[in-house]
Amino acid sequence: MTTDYDFLIRIAFEAREKSLCKYSGFAVGAALLCRSGEVYTGCNIECGAYSATVCAERVALFKALSEGKTEFSAIAVVGGNVDETETVYCSPCGTCRQILWEYCDPDDFEVIIARSDVDFSVHSLSELLPFPFAGSKE
Ligand code: THU
């Protein structure tokens, strides 16, 4: 598994520029790396009916799944106030952790939480979601 994630982080920052975050002012970008090498991007998409908002990670994952992709190796996530170029460490929310766990290998999928292409940490899903709802998966 690659640890050379600077390219994926840069793509996540590009995706963040598309963020539709007029309610929270918090812009998030995600870049999902398929095992095939393809990358699917996502940004957060907000709605005046707040609960209809979708996180950047899920947008990326749903785009990939809906195109028939099923094998994933990593996702890079970046986020921060929309007016600021400096970002924070944007760790995926609980809902995103759960659905990533559903469709990615908990022990062979890396979540890259980045502030820049040289400032990031790498986590497994097992680390981020140690006691998931498994439903009928296991
Ligand atoms: N958000 C994401 O896109 N990903 C996360 O993992 C956490 C939160 C978005 C949702 C909402 O549009 C904004 O950040 C503020 O919560």
Side-chain angles (χ1 to χ4, degrees):
M1 183 168 289
T2 180
T3 52
D4 183 16
Y5 285 126
D6 54 329
F7 80 100
L8 199 63
I9 294 165
R10 285 197 292 272
I11 295 170
F13 272 106
E14 286 173 21
R16 178 175 176 262
E17 291 172 18
K18 308 281 196 309
S19 171
L20 299 167
C21 61
K22 64 180 175 180
Y23 298 103
S24 73
F26 192 85
V28 184
L32 176 68
L33 178 62
C34 302
R35 293 206 185 278
S36 61
E38 293 161 281
V39 175
Y40 284 80
T41 60
C43 63
N44 54 329
I45 301 173
E46 298 188 345
C47 179
Y50 293 169
S51 63
T53 289
V54 185
C55 293
E57 299 92 316
R58 272 177 284 154
V59 170
L61 181 63
F62 291 163
K63 283 168 67 178
L65 291 170
S66 67
E67 298 285 329
K69 306 301 172 190
T70 57
E71 301 291 326
F72 307 109
S73 55
I75 190 168
V77 186
V78 300
N81 290 332
V82 67
D83 297 330
E84 296 169 20
T85 46
E86 188 159 337
T87 53
V88 298
Y89 295 113
C90 182
S91 185
C93 78
T95 302
C96 288
R97 292 177 194 209
Q98 183 72 46
I99 197 152
L100 287 168
W101 184 88
E102 183 78 31
Y103 289 102
C104 307
D105 184 332
D107 296 307
D108 194 14
F109 178 82
E110 295 192 317
V111 180
I112 300 109
I113 299 169
R115 290 186 67 180
S116 76
D117 59 3
V118 294
D119 179 4
F120 62 89
S121 57
V122 181
H123 309 267
S124 70
L125 282 173
S126 299
E127 176 190 350
L128 295 181
L129 191 65
F131 192 27
F133 171 71
S136 56
K137 188 180 177 192
E138 292 180 335

